[in-house]
Amino acid sequence: MRINLQKASLGALVASMLLACPPPPGACDTSGTGSIVLTFSGLPDGVTPTVTLRGPSEQTVTMAQTLMVGSGTWAVSAELVTVSDPVVRTVYAGRVSAPNFCLTRGSTQAVDVAFSKVPTSNRLWVGNSAGGTGNLHGFDSAALRATGTAASAWNQDVAGSASAAFDRDGNLWALGNTTADPLVVRFPAGAFAASTRPMPDRRIDLAAVRCFPRASALAFDPQGNLYVASPCQKEVYRIDAAQLASEMPTPAVTLTGFQSPSALAFGPGGALFVGDNGADEVVRYEASALSGASPMPTVKLKARRSTMPADTSVFGVTALAFDLAGNLWAFDFGSSNVVYHFPAVELTGSGTKSLQPGVRITVAVTGIPEGLAFDEGGGLWLPMRQGDVVRLAPEQLTVSTGAAAPTQPDRTITGSALGYARDPAFFPAPKGLPLFHALP
């Protein structure tokens, strides 16, 4: 009995000594528990956030609450929140008041996650190549739901708007408008919260591109690497995600063999499709091939104009976009003004394939469509005449039409200050599309 009492006394003594001994300098004490009081603000009613806490344990919470957790070092992060919309969703980003902290035994840490709208979300963005005012315009979703005249919610002259792509945070990446501008510039999403002219926070040039026209398209792959097409160099360059902070990176990969690369699109599985308007074809690169030193395409697709065997003429390729079913849409600007698509089942294979388009839609001959973009409802947006951006409804995308009776758009949005629009883009892209900025 005496031995047991001695053991108990010794255990109590050791425990008391451990509690009295402070952790090493700079360390966070992990003994005991504490409280985290988590609050949210800024979200519309009924919208649920997702906040993750990582420390001695990991928890994901979706509502304000007080948590009893183990002491130690904690990190708090908030996922982007999307709110549904028939055209383009709204995105909210959370700012965490205490993203990292040491929770000591018996203490309480307050953490507020303040959400605010990402200013580039819930809008259609288009460049303006001539006429009107401002070379970059943003139209609110509410103005896009019916035919009519609309003032752009955002309108400024910026250093880049020739072709635009978004990253997952809503930052806008664009090709420079003139030879005096950098080849690629980035505007942080927050810069569009004000109506003043934003300045780019990233500027990228490539030493190999000193000719004109320098670049025609840009696109992110699923890993966040940026691809840039240069018609004058007849090449496509990959700038790795880790290189995007450099002002003069050396491309990680260079794709060659084009006549005039005009459009880029990533498809399901990360395959890259390059529209070569000089060769009137679409070239496919497998995702696995793009990591090699000298990637080679697997298949070249040509869209036949006629069903007559003797007529070997094909459509040009000035824009590309995928729909939710995996069909690849293209546009032939010029003599035909035809929007057409390659069915998903035809996009694989090898060699050169000459195909009849699954659907061919003729639009007004007076239109100058530069660029294609799908919305949340499956509609296809494209620039048209001066001052106009139009939408083709999903049901219109199943019916072929000819020059004698061209398709009349489902909606026509006339920008009160818009000239000739180009390269429409949404942030976020509709969920399910094979785009880097297609959020869940």
Side-chain angles (χ1 to χ4, degrees):
M1 186 69 177
R2 181 181 302 171
I3 294 174
N4 289 339
L5 288 173
Q6 288 176 340
K7 287 183 177 179
S9 299
L10 180 61
L13 176 62
V14 171
S16 64
M17 291 175 64
L18 289 174
L19 290 174
C21 182
C28 183
D29 187 6
T30 58
S31 63
T33 61
S35 301
I36 300 176
V37 180
L38 189 64
T39 57
F40 302 141
S41 60
L43 287 176
D45 291 342
V47 176
T48 302
T50 299
V51 174
T52 301
L53 297 90
R54 294 182 174 88
S57 61
E58 181 171 327
Q59 300 190 42
T60 299
V61 298
T62 58
M63 59 184 295
Q65 56 187 288
T66 298
L67 302 167
M68 296 296 295
V69 295
S71 301
T73 300
W74 284 89
V76 183
S77 60
E79 294 183 9
L80 294 174
V81 178
T82 58
V83 179
S84 62
D85 184 273
V87 179
V88 52
R89 292 171 289 166
T90 305
V91 179
Y92 289 84
R95 181 181 58 81
V96 182
S97 62
N100 299 279
F101 55 89
C102 173
L103 185 70
T104 59
R105 183 176 52 147
S107 67
T108 298
Q109 175 69 52
V111 179
D112 179 64
V113 184
F115 287 90
S116 60
K117 176 186 173 183
V118 177
T120 50
S121 70
N122 198 228
R123 286 177 175 172
L124 168 66
W125 294 90
V126 293
N128 177 14
S129 60
T133 61
N135 57 23
L136 181 64
H137 292 248
F139 292 89
D140 284 344
S141 173
L144 304 175
R145 298 175 188 175
T147 292
T149 299
S152 49
W154 196 96
N155 170 10
Q156 288 290 330
D157 282 316
V158 297
S161 66
S163 180
F166 287 99
D167 60 27
R168 286 177 177 165
D169 294 317
N171 303 310
L172 188 149
W173 298 73
L175 297 176
N177 296 313
T178 70
T179 54
D181 297 319
L183 185 69
V184 179
V185 293
R186 186 188 84 162
F187 299 98
F192 296 94
S195 58
T196 55
R197 180 186 182 189
M199 298 301 293
D201 65 347
R202 300 270 183 95
R203 298 169 174 82
I204 298 175
D205 267 310
L206 298 179
V209 184
R210 289 289 179 261
C211 50
F212 187 83
R214 294 185 301 164
S216 57
L218 73 170
F220 283 100
D221 71 9
Q223 290 72 45
N225 306 310
L226 184 63
Y227 285 71
V228 181
S230 174
C232 66
Q233 286 293 123
K234 302 180 180 181
E235 294 176 332
V236 175
Y237 308 100
R238 187 182 86 198
I239 306 170
D240 281 354
Q243 298 178 293
L244 293 177
S246 173
E247 292 189 355
M248 188 69 75
T250 299
V253 173
T254 298
L255 308 180
T256 61
F258 307 105
Q259 293 189 28
S260 182
S262 52
L264 302 172
F266 280 92
L272 171 64
F273 292 79
V274 181
D276 187 352
N277 202 42
D280 293 334
E281 64 187 16
V282 177
V283 182
R284 173 182 173 132
Y285 291 84
E286 301 301 328
S288 57
L290 293 172
S291 60
S294 301
M296 297 297 294
T298 54
V299 64
K300 296 181 178 181
L301 306 170
K302 292 180 177 289
R304 295 175 59 91
R305 289 177 178 267
S306 173
T307 58
M308 302 298 293
D311 186 351
T312 59
S313 61
V314 294
F315 289 116
V317 187
T318 53
L320 292 174
F322 275 93
D323 64 18
L324 285 172
N327 304 308
L328 179 60
W329 291 82
F331 183 77
D332 174 54
F333 169 60
S335 59
S336 56
N337 267 21
V338 168
V339 180
Y340 61 94
H341 88 323
F342 295 104
V345 295
E346 299 286 3
L347 297 179
T348 57
S350 60
T352 298
K353 299 170 67 173
S354 182
L355 307 171
Q356 290 293 328
V359 176
R360 59 178 74 192
I361 301 168
T362 303
V363 296
V365 70
T366 54
I368 308 179
E370 294 186 62
L372 304 169
F374 280 93
D375 66 19
E376 288 288 340
L380 181 61
W381 291 82
L382 58 157
M384 192 54 64
R385 294 172 290 268
Q386 182 175 9
D388 289 349
V389 182
V390 304
R391 179 186 192 260
L392 302 181
E395 57 271 20
Q396 293 180 301
L397 299 178
T398 65
V399 181
S400 295
T401 56
T407 298
Q408 299 302 311
D410 167 59
R411 300 174 200 169
T412 298
I413 306 302
T414 301
S416 56
L418 183 63
Y420 286 98
R422 63 184 178 191
D423 295 300
F426 293 106
F427 177 75
K431 53 186 174 184
L433 284 186
L435 289 169
F436 183 59
H437 62 294
L439 302 179

